[in-house]
Amino acid sequence: MRLKTILIILAALPFVLIAIFFLYSFLLSPPGSGRDVSRQKGVPFPALMAHRGVSGLAPEETRPAYLLARELGADYLEADIQRTKDGVLIALHDDDLTRTTNIEEIYPDRAKDSVDTFTYAELMKLDAGSWFNETHPQWARPSFVGLNILTLEELIDIADGGYHKPGLYLETKSPERFPGIEKQIVDLLKKRGWIGPSSETEEASLEETPLDAPDRVNVRNMPGRIIVQSFSQDSLQIFKDLAPELPRVYLFGQDTVEEGGSFEAVLEQALAVDANAGPSGYMAWPWYTSKIHARGMIVHYYTINQSWQMWLINQFGADGIFTDRIDIALDYFDRMEEPDLEQYFKKIEY
Ligand code: G3P
Ligand code: CA
């Protein structure tokens, strides 16, 4: 009898501990705890970012990846911005072109050279789609062959070009290699009416349209239409000086915390440039999220691709996620039923 009781207690213990953990987590950082801060900053809650477009289903940072993100209803199109040798702003994640293009075939002697050593015309000779078909045969499509690297101007065209009006979530990638890139980005966004008077005019004209209309994304016409993000505090400081109204997000991972000495020290680095927090999803614990919210910052975690991860992070009070699978995120957050992807590819003509 005594043994039976002990066995029952032992069997129940993991469930009790899990229940205590989730109760503790709820008290510390309940779902929705950052909703008001997001609203104050003009950023949707929860914010769903298409990380490099729908990069789980199409070649990252290319036209179909972003068109699909827009058509599905992502809140933001996320992109890593770099610059060609002749000054064109482009969307590309890696420092070099080996992973996402056929550079070894086209420029074998320059295959490992960084992207800023190529002119725009040279980059246009590269195929930025075929690698995806080889790496992800289950999502391969003939129309991905021969895709071009996208410019920031073309990304803006995509964001502006549909029924849904997503925002832009732009990262300066390795900004120390691109002096002045922040000003170039801000100037382009001004020219395109994303910063400044024309944005305000459009915002006013859309007053009659509820911004939270369930069937239409309208982040383009919210104050947080552009978010700038970087692993570089210096780059965010430059953005703060140039366009203080743009929400800023300081990206960091475990290595940043180790370098900074503590999680709190990294948050101080973010606060020094009035930035919000963009930590790795491995750090999405409620005790971290609560510390971020306690400082009046919002927190968007990267990169969250599974629905169970979305559930967990939402339970722990996150304000948004970067995801390669915006289709899964929109379904998880009840913004759409599981979409018929073939229909969407047909619609975007890929
Ligand atoms: O911008 C959020 C996330 O994209 C940061 O990581 O390496 O994918 O740019 P990475
Ligand atoms: Ca990024």
Side-chain angles (χ1 to χ4, degrees):
M1 182 66 183
R2 237 180 111 189
L3 181 64
K4 193 177 169 190
T5 310
I6 290 169
L7 286 174
I8 290 171
I9 290 171
L10 282 178
L13 197 58
F15 298 100
V16 173
L17 290 176
I18 289 169
I20 290 171
F21 171 75
F22 276 100
L23 179 63
Y24 171 68
S25 150
F26 183 82
L27 294 173
L28 204 58
S29 182
S33 46
R35 184 188 301 270
D36 289 345
V37 190
S38 292
R39 283 201 174 146
Q40 281 160 21
K41 297 183 186 228
V43 173
F45 177 96
L48 303 181
M49 279 65 82
H51 181 245
R52 313 182 198 172
V54 193
S55 54
L57 299 174
E60 63 184 57
E61 317 218 25
T62 63
R63 184 174 165 77
Y66 287 117
L67 279 175
L68 189 61
R70 184 193 73 193
E71 290 305 308
L72 285 165
D75 289 321
Y76 287 95
L77 309 182
E78 194 267 351
D80 305 292
I81 305 303
Q82 304 197 56
R83 191 169 60 201
T84 64
K85 188 179 178 184
D86 51 343
V88 180
L89 297 175
I90 55 164
L92 190 86
H93 179 269
D94 296 1
D95 287 349
D96 69 37
L97 296 138
T98 48
R99 184 178 61 88
T100 58
T101 73
N102 61 342
I103 189 153
E104 282 162 359
E105 201 181 301
I106 307 297
Y107 303 109
D109 299 339
R110 301 167 68 194
K112 301 276 184 216
D113 292 359
S114 57
V115 63
D116 51 292
T117 62
F118 291 83
T119 63
Y120 176 68
E122 285 171 337
L123 292 185
M124 285 304 98
K125 296 197 168 74
L126 299 177
D127 171 351
S130 291
W131 71 273
F132 181 89
N133 288 353
E134 287 152 26
T135 312
H136 305 283
Q138 71 277 34
W139 299 115
R141 304 181 82 81
S143 55
F144 292 162
V145 175
L147 288 173
N148 285 138
I149 291 171
L150 209 62
T151 64
L152 178 54
E153 287 249 41
E154 289 167 331
L155 177 63
I156 294 170
D157 289 340
I158 291 171
D160 274 334
Y163 170 73
H164 289 303
K165 301 292 180 194
L168 292 170
Y169 209 122
L170 304 178
E171 177 179 351
T172 46
K173 189 61 92 184
S174 306
E176 59 286 350
R177 286 199 289 116
F178 303 106
I181 194 168
E182 296 83 2
K183 180 164 186 333
Q184 205 179 342
I185 292 170
V186 167
D187 286 348
L188 177 57
L189 291 167
K190 281 182 181 166
K191 189 181 97 183
R192 296 298 303 264
W194 279 67
I195 298 177
S198 60
S199 298
E200 284 161 23
T201 309
E202 191 170 356
E203 196 169 271
S205 71
L206 281 161
E207 264 177 9
E208 296 154 41
T209 311
L211 291 181
D212 56 354
D215 57 345
R216 187 181 188 205
V217 173
N218 207 5
V219 178
R220 167 70 174 88
N221 293 298
M222 291 175 73
R225 64 181 68 86
I226 302 157
I227 299 180
V228 288
Q229 47 161 346
S230 191
F231 286 96
S232 160
Q233 194 191 27
D234 291 344
S235 186
L236 293 176
Q237 178 64 53
I238 297 171
F239 276 121
K240 185 182 172 198
D241 294 339
L242 288 170
E245 71 274 29
L246 301 187
R248 292 170 291 283
V249 165
Y250 185 46
L251 300 169
F252 57 93
Q254 193 57 44
D255 51 341
T256 328
V257 172
E258 278 156 25
E259 278 165 32
S262 68
F263 190 79
E264 288 77 2
V266 174
L267 295 190
E268 290 309 312
Q269 291 169 13
L271 280 173
V273 290
D274 285 337
N276 300 282
S280 156
Y282 292 110
M283 302 165 84
W285 297 107
W287 42 89
Y288 286 147
T289 302
S290 68
K291 281 181 182 167
I292 295 167
H293 285 158
R295 287 163 174 76
M297 307 152 86
I298 55 178
V299 56
H300 295 156
Y301 288 103
Y302 68 90
T303 304
I304 313 299
N305 292 332
Q306 312 279 339
S307 51
W308 65 267
Q309 297 170 324
M310 293 171 193
W311 179 83
L312 209 56
I313 280 183
N314 190 44
Q315 290 304 308
F316 297 162
D319 304 321
I321 56 166
F322 300 89
T323 179
D324 300 337
R325 290 296 302 271
I326 202 75
D327 54 320
I328 294 176
L330 291 164
D331 186 14
Y332 174 76
F333 284 98
D334 283 335
R335 297 249 300 260
M336 74 184 328
E337 294 290 316
E338 189 179 345
D340 178 345
L341 293 170
E342 277 309 311
Q343 288 295 327
Y344 278 89
F345 275 114
K346 199 170 164 195
K347 188 168 182 200
I348 66 169
E349 299 179 344
Y350 275 92

